[in-house]
Amino acid sequence: GLPCAKREERDERRGVIVRSYGPLARAVDSLARLRSPAGIRRGDEELPVDFNLADLFEQAADHFGPRECLVANGVRRTYAQMEERANRLAHHLARHGIGAGDHVGIYAQNCVEWVETLWAVFKIRGVWVNINYRYVEDELRYLVANADLKALVFARLYAPRVAAVRDAMPDLVHAIVIDDGSGEPLTGIDAIDFEAAMAASYTCTLYYNGAAAGSGDTFAWFPVTLVEATGNQSLTQSAI
């Protein structure tokens, strides 16, 4: 899905030829120019600059939002749509206690939800674990027992396999199921539907209290309450 708009130019500060082959590659160039080998400078002070893969994708979404990012099984996502949905899922995972360093399994065939989950995991600085959909039960049991999964996103087609190895995932605190139309039962699995998790994004409500400020007609509004965080708000947590 990355448009191949080849670009070649000379970066005088680095003395190299820069070649980019699409929006994400140009976003990498853009971020690279923000930093020297050790960081950026403010006067005589050297400031470290750190970013993760989600930062790079956000740069691409900012610059190429309306452009097509992904097509899978007839479903299309622009960069802006992918960024918004990944943010929503990242907020959902964070609200359920999934954060930096936690392992999140992805058990599905190629689909847009797979990629959205990947970016969401990057945003919370989690560790994604790709689970091969061809694994039989013994192989699957070994992997999930060894991977220390705290969250699992899986296609409904594989619900019976997930149920069969649920006891091998003692650290699992949250599961999300992708509805693939298979209709497989979720017996023995406590999981929320993928789109329901998206819909459960959180609205930001800012309440104001008005009060007179000084004399005359001057009137000021003061924010007094902030309730939760918006599900569309960028949640990228860069390395510290």
mmCIF file of all heavy atoms in Angstrom, residues 148-168:
data_model
loop_
_atom_site.group_PDB
_atom_site.id
_atom_site.type_symbol
_atom_site.label_atom_id
_atom_site.label_comp_id
_atom_site.label_asym_id
_atom_site.label_seq_id
_atom_site.Cartn_x
_atom_site.Cartn_y
_atom_site.Cartn_z
ATOM 1 N N ASP A 148 4.012 -15.417 27.636
ATOM 2 C CA ASP A 148 3.565 -14.545 28.733
ATOM 3 C C ASP A 148 2.592 -13.477 28.242
ATOM 4 O O ASP A 148 2.745 -12.284 28.528
ATOM 5 C CB ASP A 148 4.763 -13.876 29.424
ATOM 6 C CG ASP A 148 5.727 -14.876 30.028
ATOM 7 O OD1 ASP A 148 5.259 -15.919 30.516
ATOM 8 O OD2 ASP A 148 6.942 -14.624 29.996
ATOM 9 N N LEU A 149 1.582 -13.897 27.516
ATOM 10 C CA LEU A 149 0.626 -12.950 26.945
ATOM 11 C C LEU A 149 -0.226 -12.302 28.033
ATOM 12 O O LEU A 149 -0.753 -12.973 28.907
ATOM 13 C CB LEU A 149 -0.297 -13.642 25.946
ATOM 14 C CG LEU A 149 0.356 -14.272 24.717
ATOM 15 C CD1 LEU A 149 -0.706 -14.884 23.820
ATOM 16 C CD2 LEU A 149 1.180 -13.248 23.952
ATOM 17 N N LYS A 150 -0.358 -10.978 27.934
ATOM 18 C CA LYS A 150 -1.245 -10.249 28.827
ATOM 19 C C LYS A 150 -2.539 -9.866 28.119
ATOM 20 O O LYS A 150 -3.562 -9.624 28.750
ATOM 21 C CB LYS A 150 -0.550 -8.997 29.373
ATOM 22 C CG LYS A 150 -1.290 -8.359 30.540
ATOM 23 C CD LYS A 150 -0.458 -7.295 31.228
ATOM 24 C CE LYS A 150 -1.222 -6.682 32.405
ATOM 25 N NZ LYS A 150 -0.412 -5.627 33.086
ATOM 26 N N ALA A 151 -2.494 -9.811 26.796
ATOM 27 C CA ALA A 151 -3.683 -9.530 25.987
ATOM 28 C C ALA A 151 -3.600 -10.356 24.717
ATOM 29 O O ALA A 151 -2.511 -10.722 24.262
ATOM 30 C CB ALA A 151 -3.791 -8.052 25.658
ATOM 31 N N LEU A 152 -4.766 -10.647 24.159
ATOM 32 C CA LEU A 152 -4.821 -11.449 22.935
ATOM 33 C C LEU A 152 -5.907 -10.897 22.018
ATOM 34 O O LEU A 152 -7.040 -10.657 22.450
ATOM 35 C CB LEU A 152 -5.127 -12.907 23.270
ATOM 36 C CG LEU A 152 -5.325 -13.863 22.084
ATOM 37 C CD1 LEU A 152 -4.033 -14.016 21.297
ATOM 38 C CD2 LEU A 152 -5.829 -15.223 22.561
ATOM 39 N N VAL A 153 -5.540 -10.668 20.757
ATOM 40 C CA VAL A 153 -6.495 -10.289 19.720
ATOM 41 C C VAL A 153 -6.548 -11.457 18.742
ATOM 42 O O VAL A 153 -5.519 -11.829 18.172
ATOM 43 C CB VAL A 153 -6.071 -8.989 19.006
ATOM 44 C CG1 VAL A 153 -7.070 -8.635 17.909
ATOM 45 C CG2 VAL A 153 -5.941 -7.840 20.004
ATOM 46 N N PHE A 154 -7.722 -12.047 18.553
ATOM 47 C CA PHE A 154 -7.800 -13.258 17.731
ATOM 48 C C PHE A 154 -9.036 -13.242 16.840
ATOM 49 O O PHE A 154 -10.051 -12.610 17.154
ATOM 50 C CB PHE A 154 -7.823 -14.510 18.625
ATOM 51 C CG PHE A 154 -9.046 -14.641 19.491
ATOM 52 C CD1 PHE A 154 -10.127 -15.425 19.099
ATOM 53 C CD2 PHE A 154 -9.128 -13.969 20.713
ATOM 54 C CE1 PHE A 154 -11.252 -15.547 19.901
ATOM 55 C CE2 PHE A 154 -10.251 -14.083 21.517
ATOM 56 C CZ PHE A 154 -11.319 -14.877 21.115
ATOM 57 N N ALA A 155 -8.925 -13.937 15.708
ATOM 58 C CA ALA A 155 -10.059 -14.089 14.807
ATOM 59 C C ALA A 155 -11.018 -15.116 15.389
ATOM 60 O O ALA A 155 -10.605 -16.125 15.971
ATOM 61 C CB ALA A 155 -9.573 -14.535 13.431
ATOM 62 N N ARG A 156 -12.305 -14.863 15.200
ATOM 63 C CA ARG A 156 -13.316 -15.751 15.796
ATOM 64 C C ARG A 156 -13.191 -17.183 15.280
ATOM 65 O O ARG A 156 -13.545 -18.144 15.976
ATOM 66 C CB ARG A 156 -14.708 -15.202 15.516
ATOM 67 C CG ARG A 156 -15.798 -15.958 16.250
ATOM 68 C CD ARG A 156 -17.064 -15.153 16.380
ATOM 69 N NE ARG A 156 -18.022 -15.833 17.241
ATOM 70 C CZ ARG A 156 -18.937 -15.215 17.967
ATOM 71 N NH1 ARG A 156 -19.010 -13.890 17.937
ATOM 72 N NH2 ARG A 156 -19.773 -15.904 18.713
ATOM 73 N N LEU A 157 -12.691 -17.351 14.078
ATOM 74 C CA LEU A 157 -12.500 -18.680 13.511
ATOM 75 C C LEU A 157 -11.666 -19.569 14.427
ATOM 76 O O LEU A 157 -11.850 -20.785 14.461
ATOM 77 C CB LEU A 157 -11.811 -18.547 12.137
ATOM 78 C CG LEU A 157 -11.459 -19.839 11.407
ATOM 79 C CD1 LEU A 157 -12.731 -20.615 11.058
ATOM 80 C CD2 LEU A 157 -10.651 -19.539 10.160
ATOM 81 N N TYR A 158 -10.747 -18.947 15.182
ATOM 82 C CA TYR A 158 -9.833 -19.717 16.022
ATOM 83 C C TYR A 158 -10.263 -19.761 17.488
ATOM 84 O O TYR A 158 -9.488 -20.185 18.348
ATOM 85 C CB TYR A 158 -8.421 -19.145 15.901
ATOM 86 C CG TYR A 158 -7.967 -19.040 14.464
ATOM 87 C CD1 TYR A 158 -7.667 -17.808 13.891
ATOM 88 C CD2 TYR A 158 -7.894 -20.172 13.670
ATOM 89 C CE1 TYR A 158 -7.294 -17.719 12.566
ATOM 90 C CE2 TYR A 158 -7.523 -20.089 12.340
ATOM 91 C CZ TYR A 158 -7.224 -18.870 11.786
ATOM 92 O OH TYR A 158 -6.874 -18.783 10.473
ATOM 93 N N ALA A 159 -11.485 -19.353 17.772
ATOM 94 C CA ALA A 159 -11.980 -19.358 19.147
ATOM 95 C C ALA A 159 -11.901 -20.739 19.806
ATOM 96 O O ALA A 159 -11.494 -20.840 20.969
ATOM 97 C CB ALA A 159 -13.403 -18.819 19.194
ATOM 98 N N PRO A 160 -12.264 -21.830 19.119
ATOM 99 C CA PRO A 160 -12.153 -23.137 19.762
ATOM 100 C C PRO A 160 -10.721 -23.476 20.170
ATOM 101 O O PRO A 160 -10.490 -24.074 21.235
ATOM 102 C CB PRO A 160 -12.667 -24.108 18.687
ATOM 103 C CG PRO A 160 -13.595 -23.277 17.853
ATOM 104 C CD PRO A 160 -12.954 -21.921 17.812
ATOM 105 N N ARG A 161 -9.741 -23.084 19.347
ATOM 106 C CA ARG A 161 -8.338 -23.349 19.699
ATOM 107 C C ARG A 161 -7.922 -22.498 20.896
ATOM 108 O O ARG A 161 -7.188 -22.964 21.774
ATOM 109 C CB ARG A 161 -7.429 -23.056 18.506
ATOM 110 C CG ARG A 161 -7.667 -23.941 17.291
ATOM 111 C CD ARG A 161 -6.651 -23.637 16.211
ATOM 112 N NE ARG A 161 -7.005 -24.248 14.936
ATOM 113 C CZ ARG A 161 -6.315 -24.046 13.820
ATOM 114 N NH1 ARG A 161 -5.252 -23.248 13.813
ATOM 115 N NH2 ARG A 161 -6.698 -24.626 12.694
ATOM 116 N N VAL A 162 -8.366 -21.236 20.908
ATOM 117 C CA VAL A 162 -8.030 -20.362 22.026
ATOM 118 C C VAL A 162 -8.620 -20.926 23.317
ATOM 119 O O VAL A 162 -7.952 -20.974 24.363
ATOM 120 C CB VAL A 162 -8.550 -18.925 21.782
ATOM 121 C CG1 VAL A 162 -8.364 -18.063 23.027
ATOM 122 C CG2 VAL A 162 -7.830 -18.300 20.593
ATOM 123 N N ALA A 163 -9.872 -21.385 23.258
ATOM 124 C CA ALA A 163 -10.512 -21.952 24.441
ATOM 125 C C ALA A 163 -9.763 -23.178 24.934
ATOM 126 O O ALA A 163 -9.635 -23.405 26.145
ATOM 127 C CB ALA A 163 -11.958 -22.310 24.117
ATOM 128 N N ALA A 164 -9.234 -23.968 24.002
ATOM 129 C CA ALA A 164 -8.541 -25.204 24.371
ATOM 130 C C ALA A 164 -7.228 -24.946 25.104
ATOM 131 O O ALA A 164 -6.771 -25.788 25.882
ATOM 132 C CB ALA A 164 -8.288 -26.049 23.124
ATOM 133 N N VAL A 165 -6.613 -23.768 24.865
ATOM 134 C CA VAL A 165 -5.316 -23.482 25.497
ATOM 135 C C VAL A 165 -5.421 -22.327 26.492
ATOM 136 O O VAL A 165 -4.400 -21.800 26.933
ATOM 137 C CB VAL A 165 -4.239 -23.165 24.435
ATOM 138 C CG1 VAL A 165 -4.045 -24.342 23.488
ATOM 139 C CG2 VAL A 165 -4.597 -21.898 23.649
ATOM 140 N N ARG A 166 -6.647 -21.924 26.835
ATOM 141 C CA ARG A 166 -6.825 -20.787 27.742
ATOM 142 C C ARG A 166 -6.088 -20.989 29.054
ATOM 143 O O ARG A 166 -5.545 -20.036 29.633
ATOM 144 C CB ARG A 166 -8.319 -20.551 28.002
ATOM 145 C CG ARG A 166 -8.614 -19.425 28.993
ATOM 146 C CD ARG A 166 -8.108 -18.095 28.490
ATOM 147 N NE ARG A 166 -8.313 -17.025 29.443
ATOM 148 C CZ ARG A 166 -7.451 -16.707 30.420
ATOM 149 N NH1 ARG A 166 -6.318 -17.414 30.566
ATOM 150 N NH2 ARG A 166 -7.704 -15.712 31.233
ATOM 151 N N ASP A 167 -6.036 -22.238 29.544
ATOM 152 C CA ASP A 167 -5.382 -22.506 30.828
ATOM 153 C C ASP A 167 -3.875 -22.311 30.768
ATOM 154 O O ASP A 167 -3.212 -22.219 31.807
ATOM 155 C CB ASP A 167 -5.694 -23.929 31.289
ATOM 156 C CG ASP A 167 -5.179 -24.977 30.305
ATOM 157 O OD1 ASP A 167 -5.423 -24.820 29.087
ATOM 158 O OD2 ASP A 167 -4.530 -25.937 30.747
ATOM 159 N N ALA A 168 -3.314 -22.212 29.559
ATOM 160 C CA ALA A 168 -1.872 -22.012 29.400
ATOM 161 C C ALA A 168 -1.511 -20.530 29.391
ATOM 162 O O ALA A 168 -0.332 -20.192 29.219
ATOM 163 C CB ALA A 168 -1.390 -22.670 28.108
#
